[in-house]
Amino acid sequence: MPTKPINRERQWSRTGRSGRRVSLEARERLIELIRAHAGMANHADGESDASIGAAERALGVAFPPSYRRLVEEFGTWDIAGEEFLGVYRTLAHGTELLGSVKETLDLRRDHGLLAELIVVMFDGMGGVIVLDSSKVDRFGEYPVFAWFHVDEPLEKLGEDFGSFALELCEKAVRQ
């Protein structure tokens, strides 16, 4: 895995009211944003509860509600250059769960990624964006971190996936 670059800039932060309402609103607004910008977005058909359950069992952790909802809706998706791994299958890989499942398991095996982390994106700078299931809030959401290497501390990027992803995608669409 590449080493982290020098002078990284991260501008992601949670906005709005705190609590479950922000996360619920954010994930639904993100779904609307992706649908409203079909010309700059791509997505799959979404995943069933059975597929999501299989993904969670393979990883040994449950998805937080905001991430689960987006995987249900799209499976995997991107918009304006921001690509989310999600969960999906292809004909070439048969029943193998790809996206977050494959990348998380590969990084655990090959680079010491902790078992409580779920990979949801590549950050474009040699690291990955992860959800930390060991820090669940009262609404079942996990904070978002950047992970570069097992020997480096996590860098916090957001309080929950829905708010983080919405803010990131809104910025990308405006650019």
Side-chain angles (χ1 to χ4, degrees), residues 7-111:
N7 296 326
R8 294 181 332 260
E9 286 190 38
R10 303 219 188 261
Q11 298 286 326
W12 302 312
S13 64
R14 184 178 177 134
T15 59
R17 298 177 305 272
S18 63
R20 184 174 179 88
R21 186 175 176 108
V22 169
S23 182
L24 292 173
E25 288 174 1
R27 71 184 190 200
E28 296 308 316
R29 284 180 45 210
L30 180 54
I31 290 168
E32 291 171 13
L33 182 74
I34 292 166
R35 297 223 184 270
H37 291 85
M40 61 174 67
N42 298 291
H43 58 82
D45 294 328
E47 289 295 324
S48 67
D49 282 338
S51 289
I52 294 170
E56 291 172 328
R57 285 188 298 281
L59 295 174
V61 301
F63 291 160
S66 59
Y67 188 66
R68 176 180 257 280
R69 171 73 174 103
L70 286 151
V71 170
E72 286 172 347
E73 188 71 23
F74 298 123
T76 185
W77 66 98
D78 67 79
I79 183 169
E82 297 297 343
E83 184 176 344
F84 298 86
L85 294 171
V87 176
Y88 63 97
R89 293 185 169 111
T90 65
L91 289 175
H93 287 272
T95 60
E96 181 181 13
L97 294 166
L98 303 173
S100 287
V101 177
K102 180 174 180 1
E103 297 301 333
T104 300
L105 294 175
D106 286 353
L107 283 168
R108 286 178 184 172
R109 181 190 66 231
D110 299 339
H111 298 284

